Amino acid sequence: MCGIVALIGSREAAPQLLEGLRQLEYRGYDSAGIATVDGAGMHCLRAEGKLVNLTQRFEAQGAPGQCGIGHTRWATHGKPEERNAHPHLDGSGTVAVVQNGIIENHRLLREELQASGVVFRSDTDTEVIPHLLGRELERLQAGVLSPDGRRPGGALLLRAVQAVLPRLQGAYALAVVWAEAPGALVVARKAAPLLIGLGEGEFLCASDTPALAGFTRTILPMEDGEVALLTPLGIELYDQGGERVERSPSLLSGTEHVADKRSFRHFMLKEIHEQPETAALWVARHLPDAPAGTAAGPLVALPLDGAVLEGVERIDVLACGTSRHAAQVGAYLLEQLAGLPTRVFYASEFRYSPPPLGPHTLTIGVTQSGETADTLAALAMEQERRQLVADPAYAPRLLGITNRPESSLGRMVDQVLDIGAGIEVGVAATKTFLGQLLAFYGLALALAERRLGLQAGGGTITRERLLALTAGLRAVPQQLRELIAEHDRQAEALAHRFESTQDVIFLGRGINFPIALEGALKLKEISYIHAEGYPAGEMKHGPIALLDAKVPVVSIAVPGAVFDKVLSNAQEAKARDAQLIGVAPACGDTELFDVLLAVPEVDELLSPLLTVIPMQLLSYHIAAHRGLDVDQPRNLAKSVTVE
Ligand code: G6P
């Protein structure tokens, strides 16, 4: 977790470091800090809470130097207090380190250092690193002088980092500065993201592209185990074995929508409103132009090498949080439409209780950020165990669905479906969820088309059925436009009713059950109201005991296989005095709802693309009405890079 930045060049580093941290604040905002170095030594500023506190401190005290590092924290080891904020320093105060990740053997290292007299000032796992470096630099410094009598600072710092890294277990991205070498910066990564941005006579390193987007478009993503020494003159890149590596930089793409709220009050609201555009782009890219019903070519244009889908007999999906809900909708589509048995796993559970291996299995990792540690670790484990099987039927086939094809996920899997939603800043995922859903529609249609005539959960797969669905998908961007305009107003007007609400139940069935889960998650994440998503038919087996007039029930009821059943379940809630909010088409059947958040009547299989909108807007307006920090809810972070 957390975000790190580091800059070296020929201008004052601190303003750019703060700007980089601003772009990374979605990765954590428990505290922030920077350290710069110049001829006078180390200048370290840290502040608890959001970045604005650090910025105020910088404005009052300054932090001179053309080289520096910065950090925005999501607390793992140690409370979110200033003393646990990064950068952390060694005992002499000359070595400063920022780190994103977890040093798993920190306790052992701490004990060893304490035994040799080192005094720790924080509870973090990171603090062992500056102390180890300080000790190593002392050892290396003894007697090492360059011909002009000066110490070769940068080279020495690099050697110290290279000597210390093998002692660190876990996943990390880190940046180090040393007061004795103000013209050098060392960065390293292992299983946590780090990119180097190449400017003119300056380099900016960061955990993620938003921090680089306003600085440069030329980037060098670091690979696992690599260490780099940066000076204003250039980059020296080394692999894990200490061998020099030469690699060409690449160009950053998709950063046009960089953090700008436009006229919206919050990023989340802006991102909800961007969904018609996300859908329109997807339609333009993936549904070929020929009019429905006349095309003989493929129904869906997926930028995938067909081999990854060839002969697939079953699908496993690994994901966390909102991405997992998109995967659950996807599983429904893959089973009902393409007839492929599909299982969805919590990535964090899969890794430690993997199911028996099956042949001809496609494993899909879904993560909007492409950096979620649980998802990456589960995928890596699956890849490794499949590689050990001699039978080619069990060979790994990995597909990623992500908004960040350049991410760690993108580098790990064989093929990627890029959801192309543009940068999402709000911690609560909205447009990336829609993008993930659309990716699954594309995948399910492509697989169904390969399996025409076979049986799927929803009956025989026919081209007519698939054509009808693609026609339905083309209408989605316009439907979203109208729906968002209408529900934005309606949800805002409704929000005051939730002022004293403590619990909300979300009900859905079939393909809309994951949307009920997503509705509950959104509400929990940003409004801190306890919410549960339940399959509507299960309500009578437990949650019904919670119901009374104070507990609103949001029920998703769309015409299709389970319409009547869901309406009956809603009646059961109404009989217990619950306030009933329906997400359903306006018709005679839906008059039982106290409040109707109307959605157009579409093919049930397409309905999640629309029913999710009132969920997002209701959560947003309830949280905004309560005056909460919608874009940066407490305790959360957008990209969870620790397991
Ligand atoms: C965090 C966020 C969630 C998100 C989850 C998975 O927990 O707070 O909103 O759904 O990570 O993120 P990913 O990047 O893998 O989709």
Side-chain angles (χ1 to χ4, degrees):
M1 191 57 83
C2 315
I4 67 171
V5 288
L7 178 78
I8 187 157
S10 51
R11 59 175 160 144
E12 285 301 289
Q16 182 71 51
L17 292 173
L18 290 169
E19 172 56 20
L21 291 180
R22 191 171 73 82
Q23 302 292 349
L24 294 182
E25 218 184 353
Y26 70 87
R27 300 173 73 89
Y29 30 80
D30 288 331
S31 65
I34 54 171
T36 55
V37 281
D38 65 2
M42 176 79 66
H43 311 278
C44 185
L45 298 177
R46 309 186 302 177
E48 185 179 326
K50 299 205 168 154
L51 186 62
V52 60
N53 300 343
L54 177 69
T55 307
Q56 282 166 2
R57 201 156 280 189
F58 167 68
E59 280 159 6
Q61 297 176 21
Q66 295 163 353
C67 171
I69 57 180
H71 187 270
T72 180
R73 177 167 190 249
W74 184 75
T76 58
H77 292 63
K79 288 191 172 176
E81 295 168 353
E82 186 176 326
R83 64 195 197 87
N84 289 324
H86 298 219
H88 292 288
L89 305 178
D90 73 328
S92 70
T94 61
V95 181
V97 175
V98 289
Q99 193 254 146
N100 163 35
I102 289 186
I103 306 305
E104 287 169 358
N105 58 337
H106 72 100
R107 252 186 229 101
L108 270 179
L109 295 170
R110 179 182 275 251
E111 279 163 21
E112 174 194 312
L113 287 159
Q114 280 170 332
S116 66
V118 171
V119 177
F120 278 77
R121 285 173 292 222
S122 78
D123 303 324
T124 64
D125 52 331
T126 302
E127 198 187 335
V128 297
I129 307 173
H131 291 304
L132 288 170
L133 284 171
R135 218 168 55 168
E136 186 62 25
L137 280 165
E138 225 171 80
R139 202 180 64 77
L140 288 172
Q141 258 179 317
V144 183
L145 292 177
S146 63
D148 62 0
R150 289 162 57 92
R151 293 198 165 94
L156 220 57
L157 183 59
L158 172 71
R159 275 171 62 193
V161 172
Q162 285 172 320
V164 164
L165 289 184
R167 302 215 56 204
L168 307 180
Q169 288 167 15
Y172 54 78
L174 54 85
V176 187
V177 287
W178 184 30
E180 305 247 344
L185 174 70
V186 176
V187 293
R189 68 152 275 185
K190 182 182 155 203
L194 194 59
L195 307 125
I196 304 174
L198 285 66
E200 281 181 25
E202 55 182 2
F203 300 98
L204 178 65
C205 307
S207 303
D208 199 359
T209 49
L212 300 174
F215 177 84
T216 182
R217 295 185 71 82
T218 313
I219 57 158
L220 189 66
M222 289 182 70
E223 300 285 346
D224 246 10
E226 284 181 348
V227 183
L229 168 64
L230 306 174
T231 68
L233 300 178
I235 306 175
E236 287 177 25
L237 191 63
Y238 297 88
D239 67 14
Q240 204 154 10
E243 293 298 317
R244 188 79 186 260
V245 179
E246 298 291 341
R247 200 168 53 246
S248 306
S250 51
L251 279 184
L252 203 56
S253 61
T255 50
E256 290 77 12
H257 316 264
V258 173
D260 172 13
K261 259 189 269 188
R262 306 213 308 260
S263 56
F264 290 95
R265 195 170 148 204
H266 293 103
F267 279 109
M268 181 179 175
L269 188 60
K270 181 193 102 167
E271 287 154 5
I272 290 173
H273 278 264
E274 282 172 350
Q275 290 176 110
E277 199 190 324
T278 308
L281 258 175
W282 184 87
V283 169
R285 280 183 191 156
H286 301 300
L287 298 184
D289 261 347
T294 61
L299 286 170
V300 191
L302 282 190
L304 289 181
D305 174 349
V308 79
L309 304 183
E310 203 54 59
V312 165
E313 287 175 5
R314 64 188 69 217
I315 298 178
D316 286 343
V317 196
L318 313 176
C320 302
T322 290
S323 295
R324 186 172 163 278
H325 298 154
Q328 284 176 287
V329 174
Y332 194 95
L333 294 170
L334 289 161
E335 294 199 328
Q336 301 303 313
L337 208 56
L340 285 162
T342 304
R343 300 179 297 183
V344 178
F345 296 89
Y346 288 105
S348 54
E349 290 292 317
F350 182 87
R351 190 174 176 206
Y352 298 101
S353 46
L357 286 179
H360 308 295
T361 305
L362 175 66
T363 309
I364 307 179
V366 189
T367 156
Q368 67 80 20
S369 64
E371 300 294 351
T372 296
D374 286 319
T375 308
L376 296 180
L379 278 169
M381 188 277 280
E382 185 65 356
Q383 186 173 38
E384 274 164 34
R385 68 176 183 144
R386 284 188 176 274
Q387 276 164 348
L388 296 175
V389 184
D391 184 345
Y394 290 81
R397 298 176 187 219
L398 302 188
L399 173 67
I401 296 182
T402 183
N403 199 30
R404 311 301 292 276
E406 75 288 358
S407 63
S408 301
L409 174 93
R411 292 196 290 278
M412 174 188 278
V413 297
D414 306 319
Q415 305 250 336
V416 164
L417 280 178
D418 175 6
I419 64 174
I423 285 176
E424 186 177 68
V425 175
V427 163
T430 52
K431 63 175 178 171
T432 55
F433 177 70
L434 186 90
Q436 290 168 341
L437 290 184
L438 288 166
F440 274 112
Y441 280 92
L443 189 64
L445 284 167
L447 281 161
E449 196 178 14
R450 288 164 172 253
R451 297 163 61 85
L452 290 176
L454 295 177
Q455 281 300 307
T460 311
I461 309 169
T462 65
R463 192 169 171 83
E464 291 63 44
R465 173 89 178 106
L466 303 186
L467 278 169
L469 285 169
T470 51
L473 282 166
R474 285 173 203 276
V476 166
Q478 184 54 25
Q479 286 166 335
L480 285 174
R481 230 162 259 135
E482 290 162 14
L483 207 57
I484 290 168
E486 182 190 328
H487 285 294
D488 199 2
R489 282 190 295 272
Q490 210 184 345
E492 189 171 11
L494 206 60
H496 71 94
R497 289 205 197 186
F498 291 77
E499 270 161 16
S500 54
T501 300
Q502 292 185 339
D503 304 282
V504 181
I505 306 281
F506 287 81
L507 301 177
R509 278 181 95 144
I511 198 164
N512 276 297
F513 166 51
I515 301 301
L517 292 176
E518 177 60 7
L521 182 66
K522 284 283 89 81
L523 190 66
K524 270 185 280 210
E525 281 183 315
I526 59 171
S527 74
Y528 318 142
I529 294 174
H530 169 247
E532 298 230 26
Y534 243 78
E538 275 289 304
M539 185 190 61
K540 56 188 174 292
H541 300 296
I544 200 163
L546 298 174
L547 298 189
D548 61 25
K550 289 198 220 109
V551 180
V553 172
V554 180
S555 175
I556 308 169
V558 299
V562 285
F563 190 40
D564 294 341
K565 301 273 183 222
V566 177
L567 292 175
S568 306
N569 301 141
Q571 289 283 10
E572 290 155 19
K574 193 168 177 138
R576 273 82 188 174
D577 295 329
Q579 305 169 47
L580 266 193
I581 299 171
V583 174
C587 63
D589 291 324
T590 55
E591 277 167 9
L592 83 151
F593 292 111
D594 301 314
V595 175
L596 181 68
L597 301 175
V599 289
E601 191 172 335
V602 293
D603 189 306
E604 189 183 13
L605 279 192
L606 300 179
S607 62
L609 294 165
L610 306 181
T611 54
V612 71
I613 299 300
M615 304 289 158
Q616 296 172 344
L617 284 164
L618 194 60
S619 303
Y620 169 76
H621 281 295
I622 291 171
H625 184 75
R626 290 183 165 212
L628 296 170
D629 191 343
V630 172
D631 289 329
Q632 296 185 338
R634 70 182 182 206
N635 302 339
L636 295 178
K638 189 153 189 71
S639 169
V640 183
T641 55
V642 294
E643 280 183 63

